[in-house]
Amino acid sequence: MKIAVVGTGYVGLVTGTCFAETGNTVTCIDIDVNKVNKLSKGEITIYKPGLEKLFLRNLKEERLFFTTDLAAGVKDAVIVFLALPTPPGEDGSADLKYILGVAKDLGRIIQPGDYKVIIDKSTVPVGTAEKVRDAILSASPQAESLVTAFDVVSNPEFLREGVAVDDFMKPDRVVVGTTSEKAKKLMNDLYAPFVRQGNPVIFMDERSAELTKYAANSFLATKISFMNEVAKLCELLGADVDMVRRGMGSDERIGKRFLFPGIGYGGSCFPKDVQALVRSGKEVNYDFQILNAVMDVNEKQKLHLIPGIKKYFKNDLKGKRFALWGLAFKPNTDDIREAPALYIIDALTKEGAGICAFDPEAMNNVKAQIGDKIEYAESQYDALKNADALIIATEWNEFRTPDFLKIVTNLKNKAIFDGRNLFDVAAIRELGFHYESVGREIVN
Ligand code: NAD
């Protein structure tokens, strides 16, 4: 099939590459000239495990193309994915200006004779498929004859950053919102290679598909905030959240995943999607109470380590220097959107502390955002030099079993503040560290 993907960011590039990998011819379109130039030359613009190899192979096999020209990019495509940003607007609702802007452009491009399926892959509020349809028709000089020339389908993306390629190639499920039989058939054919093991392609109406994505992300965010509250209670009551988590997670009805406490969720999806669902509720006079609490808990959780750090340094952080391991909002990505590390940096630098950070993939993104507000180290151990303590904000695998001798020799104080519960409390105490984590010890 001939496919166009409009928007070549995290989702668009994975979508385009994975569809090319199953033999389709894919043209990815982006307004960012620099990005398109790099990608066309074989320079990957984002870090995702496994993506570069597939990207280079499909580029070489001439199944994957990049352009800034929307009209040329969608000309021969039967399927047009919209993988555009839907950032939060001022009131928290998803800003649809990118989606509806491109929809209008498509209205001027699509001709009555050639059938196209326009697919919302972005996370969009209920009713967006209808808005996209209206925008296309309103911009078309031949609106009347265009009515049957296209369908708008909702096909939300559930990939997890960090394992995006695996998730895309072997999805737990594919959700497709459409009532058009023609579109259904095309979507079935398109996804057939990805669900050969029998995972379902679930067809539903557009509105239900749109809501499914928000409900799924908001539920996962709720699980995280719930466990962060349980962790807090563990600290106050003298229980160990690791034990509680294991005891809870063995119950099949609860499940083991998303029960790990930490310093809050971040990234490009959970914060904005939870906010947008609350906003969608408000628009129909519904107060989604649980989600308001989920957001409150998460905001506080990002700074969970700060009181302990302040107490350890007797409320005087001026001139102190911290090694910070991890900047990305989670491991195996360079995405720093809403990353807890950035909140920690803000809180500590405001108190006059200095920070030297290391992250295996996200340092360039942080440099671009906050520049020399902090220092950047060549390695996780370089970050420790002359530091007063170590803070861990992301659970990268290489931080899990570090060389403790190197930590001891470099740090001024044997103090570790761990926002991701990487180490065994008893073992690290035995090494003589002052160690604070989340939900595993009584705090005052
Ligand atoms: P992104 O910001 O990484 O990428 C968006 C791309 O769209 C950028 O490259 C930008 O230059 C391009 N763009 C903007 N306006 C354009 C236009 N008019 N024409 C062509 N290109 C244009 O965003 P993302 O993380 O890929 O997210 C896209 C959507 O997918 C969002 O709605 C997001 O919520 C959703 N989503 C993201 C993830 C994720 O893991 N990042 C997962 C599931 C769903």
Side-chain angles (χ1 to χ4, degrees), residues 218-219 222 265 274 277-278 288-296:
S218 298
F219 183 74
T222 304
Y265 60 77
V274 173
L277 189 53
V278 168
F288 207 139
Q289 294 177 56
I290 289 179
L291 292 185
N292 287 322
V294 167
M295 291 190 289
D296 277 355

Side-chain angles (χ1 to χ4, degrees), residues 9-11 30 35 84 86 122-123 157 161 268-269 272 337:
Y10 284 88
V11 169
D30 206 286
K35 195 178 271 191
L84 294 156
T86 47
S122 301
T123 303
E157 182 48 60
E161 289 204 24
S268 63
C269 293
K272 86 170 170 57
R337 291 178 277 190

Side-chain angles (χ1 to χ4, degrees), residues 242-309:
D242 272 348
M243 295 297 121
V244 177
R245 169 179 65 75
R246 286 171 62 188
M248 286 170 65
S250 319
D251 183 332
E252 271 182 20
R253 294 170 302 175
I254 296 171
K256 294 185 174 60
R257 294 160 79 181
F258 278 82
L259 292 184
F260 289 83
I263 45 173
Y265 60 77
S268 63
C269 293
F270 285 3
K272 86 170 170 57
D273 293 352
V274 173
Q275 217 184 355
L277 189 53
V278 168
R279 187 67 219 167
S280 288
K282 276 204 181 117
E283 276 163 23
V284 287
N285 294 322
Y286 185 73
D287 181 18
F288 207 139
Q289 294 177 56
I290 289 179
L291 292 185
N292 287 322
V294 167
M295 291 190 289
D296 277 355
V297 169
N298 197 58
E299 275 316 290
K300 292 191 190 108
Q301 199 65 19
K302 288 176 189 165
L303 298 177
H304 173 86
L305 296 174
I306 303 297
I309 295 173

